Amino acid sequence: MPSAFITGITGQDGSYLTELLLAKGYTVHGLVRRSSSLDRGRLDNLEDVSDEARARLHLHYGDLGDSNSLYRLLGELKPDEVYNLASQSHVRVSFDMPEFTTDINATGTVRLLEAIRSAGLGKTTRYYQASSSEMFGKAVETPQRETTRFHPRSPYACAKVFSHYATVNYREAHGMFSCSGILFNHESPRRGENFVTRKVTLAAARIKAGLQEYVTLGNLEARRDWGYAKEYAEVMWRMLQQDSPEDYVIATGECHSVEEWVAEAFAAVDLDWHDYVRFDQRFMRASEVDEVVGDASKAKRDFGWEPQVKFSKLVKLMVEADLKACLTGK
Ligand code: NAP
Ligand code: F7E
């Protein structure tokens, strides 16, 4: 049975990928950070995982900032596949903590790649890097594809560009099966509560349920290509099953403004958003990504990938999940 090592396993994507790999019969090893709380809500609530499958899930303490833990774990576990999903993933926060963000999102990638090589796995283990549409930033062409030049606009995006090229370099220099998924924004009911999509669907649900009065937001004009995280996690696995390592853009090809997301979410609970949204300068960014939209035709051509859930369906499924949780208290 194949085995996988996932960094960032407690995050949105890590939880979906874990469900998928367990369902495929993998043994899954996850890297978890020590924290004062043992709350790992997403992993505690994995869906459709039998007791037998859950017994194949193993969590290990470590950190992308700590080489020793990575070297020890890769040496001991010798996984067939490594998925590097861990990062300080909040773009706005990266302006407050640029050094930490660079250490984890950029240097952390090299620590992990070197740990794989040092364990003697450089020619056998397959590596997936979580690259991001934020790398396109002030985009030089629309839509963005694998060949579009990067113009990062935040410490987060600069670090992701570094890791993207490190992944290419380990492929070219050391012959590793290392590849990047350049994933555009992907959302779900498991999305962190301080990303704009979830912040808004949660607020709409809570306001409807009488638990909240209003929500404060920043730039409503930014435009994003939002897809469904569950579908995007499946692509990560698919990329590692190809005959050769290649990078892929994964996107829906549809672009909507934050304001459109807000309007759709409040409409889903029969409310007019104008009555509930306030502006707060704190949520503005020093340099913004105004608009990104992806062209995923390479993924469609090579392995038939096409998104099933797009904007309206996605907003609706997230609002419904938040409303249900508000009303049932779960
Ligand atoms: P997320 O929910 O924020 O999860 C991030 C994960 O990284 C968490 O498990 C977190 O652990 C872990 N982590 C953070 N710092 C770490 C460190 N120093 N050492 C070890 N683990 C650490 O992010 P996501 O949405 O699932 O995204 C997964 C990856 O894809 C990230 O690399 C993100 O930058 C990238 N990405 C995301 C999107 C998107 O739209 N979601 C798009 C493109 C790329 P804790 O639970 O302990 O905090
Ligand atoms: O912001 C605007 C904000 O934080 C989206 C990460 O997963 O996707 C994500 O990065 C837009 C921005 O996502 C608020 O200014 C307005 O223009 O939800 P976000 P992001 O920055 O696009 C990429 C692909 C990643 O790789 C990242 O890891 O919404 N916005 N008002 C706001 N954003 C937030 N967070 N909060 C607000 O109140």
Side-chain angles (χ1 to χ4, degrees):
M1 280 298 167
S3 64
F5 180 75
I6 304 176
T7 74
I9 193 166
T10 55
Q12 171 187 257
D13 293 4
S15 66
Y16 283 118
L17 183 64
T18 299
E19 279 168 1
L20 180 86
L21 296 181
L22 289 176
K24 289 187 181 297
Y26 279 63
T27 297
V28 176
H29 298 280
L31 185 77
V32 291
R33 299 193 282 177
R34 195 272 157 183
S35 91
S36 64
S37 159
L38 270 184
D39 182 15
R40 300 198 183 112
R42 296 184 181 104
L43 291 182
D44 293 341
N45 295 301
L46 291 176
E47 286 175 11
D48 300 326
V49 174
S50 65
D51 290 346
E52 177 279 320
R54 185 165 277 278
R56 286 185 270 110
L57 171 60
H58 308 280
L59 302 181
H60 308 267
Y61 279 114
D63 198 297
L64 274 195
D66 180 50
S67 311
N68 287 325
S69 56
L70 301 177
Y71 279 65
R72 178 173 50 76
L73 288 171
L74 269 297
E76 281 173 19
L77 303 171
K78 303 199 182 307
D80 300 303
E81 297 172 6
V82 171
Y83 297 86
N84 184 23
L85 310 187
S87 82
Q88 189 303 87
S89 68
H90 203 284
V91 174
R92 170 68 188 81
V93 173
S94 78
F95 288 99
D96 297 333
M97 305 172 70
E99 182 184 350
F100 175 78
T101 302
T102 305
D103 186 43
I104 301 309
N105 297 10
T107 312
T109 301
V110 172
R111 289 189 187 103
L112 186 56
L113 286 163
E114 278 301 298
I116 294 171
R117 288 212 318 131
S118 291
L121 304 173
K123 292 281 188 281
T124 49
T125 293
R126 297 185 169 204
Y127 176 87
Y128 174 87
Q129 173 62 27
S131 285
S132 165
S133 53
E134 284 292 297
M135 302 189 305
F136 297 122
K138 196 171 162 54
V140 299
E141 66 174 342
T142 299
Q144 294 86 51
R145 48 182 72 94
E146 291 78 5
T147 50
T148 303
R149 184 162 52 78
F150 300 138
H151 186 142
R153 295 274 281 172
S154 63
Y156 169 84
C158 292
K160 283 288 184 185
V161 170
F162 174 89
S163 285
H164 185 83
Y165 282 127
T167 304
V168 173
N169 182 244
Y170 274 67
R171 182 162 81 211
E172 292 175 357
H174 305 300
M176 268 181 74
F177 192 112
S178 54
C179 53
S180 291
I182 308 175
L183 271 48
F184 282 62
N185 298 54
H186 43 283
E187 319 295 320
S188 74
R190 299 182 193 177
R191 183 59 138 155
E193 293 176 13
N194 61 351
F195 294 94
V196 78
T197 53
R198 184 75 199 294
K199 187 174 170 180
V200 168
T201 59
L202 197 54
R206 287 177 57 84
I207 290 167
K208 183 70 179 178
L211 301 171
Q212 187 173 325
E213 284 179 39
Y214 61 89
V215 61
T216 47
L217 298 172
N219 180 13
L220 300 186
E221 290 175 6
R223 296 173 67 79
R224 293 288 184 277
D225 179 331
W226 284 294
Y228 184 30
K230 189 172 182 176
E231 293 180 352
Y232 286 34
E234 205 257 341
V235 174
M236 301 173 187
W237 172 78
R238 195 153 293 287
M239 282 177 57
L240 294 197
Q241 315 312 310
Q242 298 303 296
D243 292 338
S244 60
E246 293 204 32
D247 307 323
Y248 290 93
V249 160
I250 301 299
T252 68
E254 267 188 30
C255 192
H256 296 272
S257 67
V258 173
E259 184 176 312
E260 286 174 77
W261 183 282
V262 173
E264 189 91 9
F266 278 82
V269 290
D270 299 320
L271 295 175
D272 181 345
W273 69 273
H274 295 93
D275 298 332
Y276 303 99
V277 173
R278 298 183 187 175
F279 172 75
D280 191 327
Q281 180 68 31
R282 281 185 304 145
F283 300 115
M284 299 297 281
R285 294 167 185 191
S287 46
E288 175 67 285
V289 170
D290 295 326
E291 174 173 326
V292 277
V293 56
D295 172 1
S297 51
K298 181 179 173 190
K300 183 175 180 189
R301 186 196 69 205
D302 285 6
F303 47 86
W305 185 81
E306 274 189 284
Q308 302 303 311
V309 177
K310 292 192 178 180
F311 183 76
S312 295
K313 212 166 160 185
L314 180 59
V315 178
K316 206 153 182 269
L317 80 80
M318 287 175 64
V319 173
E320 275 171 9
D322 281 328
L323 197 55
K324 189 171 164 210
C326 282
L327 297 177
T328 60
K330 284 184 196 155

